[in-house]
Amino acid sequence: MTAVLKLGLMGYGFAGTTFHAPVIAHSGRTALSVIATSQAERARADYPQARIVADFEALLACDDINCVVIATPNDTHFALARQALLAGKHVVVDKPVTLSSAEALTLAQLAAARGLLFAPFHNRRWDGDFLTLRALISAGRLGRITHYTSHFDRFRPQIPQRWREQAAYGGGLLFDLGPHLIDQAVALFGAPQSVSATLREQRDGAEVPDYLHLQLSYPQCEVVLHASALAALAPPRFRVHGVNGSFVSETLDVQEDQLKAGLRPGDAGFGKNLPSRLRTLLDGRETEEVVPTQDGDYAGFYRAVADTLLGGQPFPISAQDAVDVMTIIDLAIQSHASGRRLPFPARQALT
């Protein structure tokens, strides 16, 4: 029988109820054993098998839980993750892991010193379109990549009343969707040479950026990352060009909408995405084909956590990746303020 990892979840708001709890409970390798929340009745109704505790201290006191998941407002991530690591717990932290690269580095160094896992919840490495693109690049179908454009656009002209739209809590698209866009680029290409960015508040009454346009420069490739809250007709999710051809994926991975609708990993149709397009040179001739998109697999994130903590496998998203993502976010803020392209700094040791 395959071992199951017991996890404790801190926070039962949108992120906890949508992206963490149902995926933990249906990954096949993890169990949602404890939930720390002030919404006890709701959590108990949704997950009657889980223990419900009132606060983070009570969660950390659970001796049978050695890994906690932090799904709370962005401005609390650093303090809670640090508290968990100091208590000897492995930690998964929703994005953004912190609000600065200095805080991310502090957590990464603390985890390394104590031999603990510090895992950023960059679950969109398990988007079906990204899995498909990564496989095509690894197989050399596009040849050397010269240009990569990644869009994460939505149409939300009215500003909802929630903490994600407030500066005091670390709201705005740079901290919300930016980590996903940046992490996918880092997963493919590593840290860039330089970063430039434009950040805007385009909706009436916006107090945090609801538009971002980042350019990451690499020796032979330019990466463009874009997100907007005012895109009623969104462009392709991915448009990637290489010396041997181009890849286009039109739509966003379906898992978020399916989780919101109540589907769970393992349900019929879960993670099934529309196909993409690939145009390449084949025997000197341009050939276009429809490429099946891999199934999205957010449960793969939590299976990887279990493989690491129960089986000793390397976790696929490193603590350095978490620090690099936050470094790029820092540079984006500085670039927008100064109007300059900024070099990526030398990394500091994690150990």
Side-chain angles (χ1 to χ4, degrees), residues 50-295:
R51 279 176 286 160
I52 311 301
V53 297
D55 53 37
F56 197 50
E57 286 71 21
L59 175 56
L60 294 181
C62 296
D63 292 335
D64 59 330
I65 301 296
N66 68 359
C67 181
V68 298
V69 178
I70 297 172
T72 54
N74 296 345
D75 63 315
T76 68
H77 290 179
F78 173 72
L80 292 177
R82 182 174 181 275
Q83 186 178 350
L85 292 169
L86 289 172
K89 306 289 189 182
H90 303 284
V91 66
V92 172
V93 188
D94 205 337
K95 53 77 193 170
V97 292
T98 57
L99 295 183
S100 72
S101 60
E103 290 180 339
L105 179 63
T106 295
L107 295 180
Q109 291 174 333
L110 178 59
R114 291 176 170 253
L116 297 169
L117 176 67
F118 166 49
F121 187 63
H122 293 162
N123 60 313
R124 288 192 177 273
R125 290 201 190 187
W126 284 266
D127 276 358
D129 48 12
F130 181 73
L131 292 171
T132 302
L133 172 60
R134 193 171 194 176
L136 290 170
I137 291 175
S138 296
R141 296 292 305 277
L142 298 175
R144 176 173 53 82
I145 303 302
T146 58
H147 190 89
Y148 169 99
T149 300
S150 174
H151 276 256
F152 203 146
D153 296 307
R154 291 166 167 163
F155 187 56
R156 293 178 178 171
Q158 303 301 317
I159 300 175
Q161 297 299 311
R162 59 179 190 163
W163 66 260
R164 295 178 189 277
E165 303 290 347
Q166 300 175 43
Y169 296 97
L173 288 189
L174 183 61
F175 288 114
D176 185 18
L177 303 182
H180 290 314
L181 292 166
I182 295 167
D183 177 68
Q184 288 179 335
V186 167
L188 292 175
F189 307 113
Q193 291 181 320
S194 63
V195 176
S196 64
T198 299
L199 310 172
R200 298 192 184 280
E201 295 85 39
Q202 294 187 328
R203 294 172 295 176
D204 293 338
E207 66 173 82
V208 289
D210 52 15
Y211 170 98
L212 65 89
H213 190 84
L214 275 60
Q215 290 180 270
L216 313 183
S217 288
Y218 293 84
Q220 296 181 306
C221 177
E222 195 71 11
V223 167
V224 176
L225 309 176
H226 186 98
S228 171
L230 291 176
L233 291 173
R237 172 70 180 89
F238 288 110
R239 182 181 284 118
V240 183
H241 305 298
V243 295
N244 290 344
S246 298
F247 170 85
V248 174
S249 179
E250 297 287 348
T251 58
L252 187 66
D253 179 272
V254 298
Q255 291 174 94
E256 177 175 347
D257 286 342
Q258 290 180 330
L259 288 167
K260 289 178 181 176
L263 270 70
R264 299 293 180 254
D267 288 349
F270 187 85
K272 300 291 183 182
N273 290 286
L274 294 174
S276 306
R277 289 185 293 129
L278 177 68
R279 188 173 183 86
T280 57
L281 281 174
L282 183 63
D283 297 328
R285 299 176 58 185
E286 291 187 26
T287 301
E288 185 164 328
E289 60 186 289
V290 174
V291 178
T293 300
Q294 292 188 34
D295 292 350

Side-chain angles (χ1 to χ4, degrees), residues 7-18:
L7 294 174
L9 174 63
M10 176 62 210
Y12 204 64
F14 173 71
T17 59
T18 305

